[in-house]
Amino acid sequence: MNAHHTLIISVFIVASCGLAYELIIAALASYLLGDSILQFSSVIGLYLFSMGIGAHLTQYIKDKDVLHRFIEIELLVGIIGGISALALFVAFGLSAAPFRTLLYAFVLIVGMVVGMEIPLVMRVLNQKGAEFKELVSKVLTFDYLGALAVSLLFPLLLAPKLGMARSALLFGIFNAAVAYLTARVFKSELPRYHAIRTRAFIVLTALITLFVYADRISFKAEQSYFGDPVVYQSHSPYQRLVVTRWKDDTRLYINGNLQFSSRDEARYHEALVLPAMQMVPNAERVLILGGGDGLAAREVLKYPQVKNVTLVDLDPDMTATFKTSATLSALNQSSLSHPKMHVVNDDAAKWLEGSSEKFDVIIIDLPDPSNFSLGKLYSVPMYRLVARHLEPQGKIVVQSTSPYFAPNAYWSVVATLEAAKLNTAPYHVYVPSFGEWGFVLAGFDQNFPIPQKFDVPTRYLNAQTVAEMFRFPPDMARRKVEANYLNNQILVSYFESDWNNVMR
C-alpha cells in the first residue's frame, strides 16, 4: 500500500472514530442523566467547538513535525476516546457530580484532538505533492463517508451488540492501528520510528486488553452505582436495562431510573390496571402501551372474560428478557407467554396509526415524560389517536408520574387528556419505592364508579384503599397548568422543573 492510499484510508477511519466518540458520549450522557435533547445538544455543541480549537492549534505545528505529530495525535485520540465510556461508567458509579465534570472534560479533550486530525493529514498529503483541489475533494469525501458509516453502524450494530464501553474501545483500537500503520508506511521519514512503533504497540495492547475486560469493569461499576447485585444488563438501541436482585427484592432500572421493586410493585400495577378493569365489567379486548415487563399484563389476565391482550412495547430486548428469564417471568407469572397475549415491538404512536382495532380498556404504562421523544406520547394528538381505538363505554388509564413530587407535570397530563376531549378521573397511590404516584382514568363519558370490591385476587387494593386513591389532599390539589401539545412540549419542561426542585 502506497503512502497516498494509506493517508486516504486513514481519513475514513479517523472520521468514523471522531463521530463515534461524539455519539457514544452523548448517548451515555442521555442514558445516565436523562433529557436526551439537552444532553445531545450540549455534547455536540461543545464537541464541535472543541474541534475548532484543535484545528486552530495545528497552525503551531511545524511542517517538518507534521507526520510525527499526526501519529502522536492518533495514539492520544485512541487512548482518551477509547477509555472515555468506561471511565464515565466508573465515575457515575462513584457519584453524579464528578461524572458531569468528567463528561465535559472528555468532550472538550477528545474534540480538540479529533479536530487536529484532518488538518494534519491534509498537510501531510500536501507535502506529498497532492494538488489542492484533489486534496480537498478526497479528504472531505472520505471524511463524510466515514461519518455516514459510523452513524449507521452505531445504533444498528455497535450499541446493541458491544455496548458503549466496548464500542469506544473498538474505535480507540482503530485510531491506534492508524498510528501504527502510518508509522510503518513512513518509517524511512521518521527518525524515531522504533520509539513510535513501540508506543503504538503498547497503546494497542492496552486498548485490546481493556476491550476484553470492559464488560467486567463496567459490571463492577454498575454494582457500585445500583448497590444491589446486578443480575442482568443490556444496551438496546433504545435504552439501557439493568436488573438487580438482593434477597427477595428484584428491581428494574431503565437508563438508571428505577421502574419497579418486586417488594411493592403490586401496589403500582394493581392501581394501574384494576380500577379500569372493574369499571368495564365485560372487557374482552385490552391494549397495553408500554409495560414490556409484563406486570400490567399479569393483572389484566386475572380477568377470565378477557379474550385478547395486545401489548405494544418499543424494545424487543425488554419483552424478550421478561419472557425468557426464569426470575423475571416468575414475577409476571409468564404473562408474555400467555396464549391470550399478542406482543408487538413497535413505536406506540406508529402502531396506533396503522391499526383499526378497538379496545374495551387501554392501559398506557410508558416511561415518564423526561424528554421530548417520550413527551410526544403524552400529547394531545397522541391521546386523540388513542381515543380512536377506544370502545364507546371503554376506559383509558395513564401512568402519570407523581402528583406530590411532580405536581405540575401530573396535572398537565390531566389537562392534556381533557384537551383531547376526554373526561378524566385522577387518582394516586403510595408506593414505598417511589412515594406518591399518580394515574389518570379517561373516557368518553363521565361515569367513573369507584369499585366497591374486586373480582380478582389482590395484594393491596380493597374497597377502603381504592376509595382513598381518588381523594387528593391540599398539598396534591389540582394546579392550573397547560396541556401538552407537540409544538411546545410543555410537559417535559414541567417534569424537569418539578424533579429538579425535589433534588435541591
Side-chain angles (χ1 to χ4, degrees):
M1 184 182 295
N2 63 40
H4 182 83
H5 289 155
T6 299
L7 290 170
I8 292 298
I9 292 172
S10 296
V11 171
F12 180 85
I13 295 173
V14 300
S16 301
C17 295
L19 181 61
Y21 299 133
E22 181 181 5
L23 291 173
I24 289 167
I25 294 173
L28 195 58
S30 67
Y31 273 3
L32 299 177
L33 298 178
D35 193 357
S36 59
I37 298 295
L38 174 62
Q39 301 309 328
F40 268 92
S41 296
S42 58
V43 168
I44 290 171
L46 180 58
Y47 194 83
L48 292 175
F49 170 74
S50 303
M51 287 179 66
I53 295 175
H56 175 76
L57 292 176
T58 59
Q59 68 177 308
Y60 300 108
I61 296 175
K62 297 177 181 178
D63 287 341
K64 65 183 180 66
D65 296 328
V66 168
L67 181 60
H68 187 188
R69 296 305 178 206
F70 172 71
I71 295 170
E72 290 181 331
I73 287 295
E74 286 308 293
L75 292 176
L76 189 60
V77 174
I79 294 170
I80 301 174
I83 68 169
S84 58
L86 197 58
L88 289 171
F89 264 121
V90 173
F92 194 76
L94 298 174
S95 171
F99 173 81
R100 290 180 183 273
T101 303
L102 192 60
L103 169 71
Y104 291 111
F106 268 118
V107 174
L108 183 65
I109 296 170
V110 174
M112 286 176 61
V113 289
V114 167
M116 300 176 77
E117 293 176 314
I118 298 302
L120 288 177
V121 79
M122 290 180 72
R123 286 174 63 181
V124 174
L125 283 167
N126 187 51
Q127 290 176 355
K128 303 304 174 186
E131 292 186 14
F132 180 76
K133 63 178 181 179
E134 179 187 8
L135 171 66
V136 172
S137 65
K138 281 190 175 181
V139 168
L140 293 183
T141 296
F142 280 89
D143 184 21
Y144 297 147
L145 285 174
L148 174 63
V150 78
S151 66
L152 294 175
L153 287 173
F154 177 71
L156 298 176
L157 180 64
L158 297 174
K161 299 298 182 183
L162 294 181
M164 299 297 161
R166 295 180 77 198
S167 292
L169 285 163
L170 178 64
F171 285 103
I173 291 168
F174 288 161
N175 276 123
V178 165
Y180 186 83
L181 179 62
T182 304
R184 286 289 301 271
V185 171
F186 292 96
K187 62 181 179 181
S188 61
E189 301 178 34
L190 295 169
R192 291 170 295 206
Y193 164 68
H194 292 291
I196 293 171
R197 186 182 67 175
T198 301
R199 286 202 298 271
F201 180 78
I202 292 171
V203 170
L204 269 171
T205 303
L207 290 172
I208 291 170
T209 303
L210 284 173
F211 180 86
V212 172
Y213 291 99
D215 285 346
R216 196 173 301 178
I217 296 170
S218 61
F219 184 84
K220 289 184 177 180
E222 289 191 334
Q223 293 279 20
S224 172
Y225 170 62
F226 292 110
D228 296 338
V230 175
V231 297
Y232 176 81
Q233 58 176 328
S234 75
H235 278 290
S236 77
Y238 312 105
Q239 56 201 0
R240 177 157 181 79
L241 305 177
V242 173
V243 178
T244 67
R245 185 170 178 82
W246 174 250
K247 296 183 179 179
D248 63 341
D249 187 14
T250 300
R251 298 188 172 212
L252 170 68
Y253 296 83
I254 295 180
N255 297 343
N257 299 313
L258 178 64
Q259 302 302 302
F260 72 76
S261 164
S262 61
R263 287 183 175 175
D264 56 23
E265 58 82 13
R267 287 190 173 211
Y268 173 96
H269 290 100
E270 287 182 5
L272 171 69
V273 174
L274 301 191
M277 293 297 295
Q278 288 293 137
M279 290 180 189
V280 188
N282 297 315
E284 295 182 350
R285 296 175 58 79
V286 177
L287 172 65
I288 303 173
L289 302 179
D293 52 32
L295 297 173
R298 177 196 66 198
E299 299 300 317
V300 171
L301 290 168
K302 289 179 178 179
Y303 288 85
Q305 74 270 21
V306 171
K307 295 181 178 179
N308 177 272
V309 182
T310 300
L311 186 148
V312 182
D313 191 280
L314 180 63
D315 192 351
D317 195 29
M318 176 81 159
T319 52
T321 300
F322 278 83
K323 184 176 182 179
T324 58
S325 165
T327 299
L328 300 177
S329 62
L331 285 178
N332 61 37
Q333 297 176 6
S334 300
S335 62
L336 298 179
S337 301
H338 197 282
K340 294 180 181 180
M341 177 66 60
H342 176 50
V343 176
V344 179
N345 292 121
D346 201 350
D347 177 84
K350 180 180 176 182
W351 184 86
L352 288 169
E353 288 174 351
S355 173
S356 58
E357 296 182 68
K358 286 186 176 287
F359 300 90
D360 301 302
V361 174
I362 299 177
I363 299 163
I364 303 179
D365 189 20
L366 296 167
D368 288 336
S370 58
N371 57 57
F372 292 112
S373 61
L374 289 169
K376 73 176 184 180
L377 300 176
Y378 289 78
S379 65
V380 172
M382 176 66 177
Y383 291 144
R384 287 174 179 162
L385 181 59
V386 170
R388 290 207 294 266
H389 294 268
L390 185 68
E391 294 286 1
Q393 303 304 314
K395 291 290 182 281
I396 299 168
V397 60
V398 184
Q399 93 77 16
S400 310
T401 195
S402 172
Y404 183 80
F405 296 110
N408 292 307
Y410 175 79
W411 291 109
S412 177
V413 174
V414 178
T416 303
L417 285 160
E418 292 172 350
K421 308 301 182 185
L422 292 163
N423 293 294
T424 63
Y427 64 104
H428 62 99
V429 68
Y430 179 73
V431 182
S433 297
F434 300 116
E436 289 290 342
W437 210 256
F439 308 88
V440 186
L441 278 160
F444 297 120
D445 58 36
Q446 298 182 8
N447 185 29
F448 297 97
I450 298 175
Q452 300 301 306
K453 64 181 182 65
F454 290 92
D455 300 330
V456 296
T458 64
R459 291 167 56 187
Y460 174 71
L461 289 188
N462 57 26
Q464 181 179 352
T465 55
V466 76
E468 288 296 323
M469 293 195 310
F470 287 84
R471 301 190 186 107
F472 284 81
D475 60 355
M476 291 194 292
R478 182 159 187 169
R479 298 191 175 198
K480 188 176 181 180
V481 290
E482 297 179 41
N484 186 46
Y485 289 88
L486 289 177
N487 68 331
N488 65 3
Q489 290 268 23
I490 191 67
L491 176 60
V492 178
S493 298
Y494 285 143
F495 182 86
E496 182 180 342
S497 176
D498 285 344
W499 283 104
N500 282 343
N501 288 336
V502 172
M503 299 302 177
R504 288 175 185 169

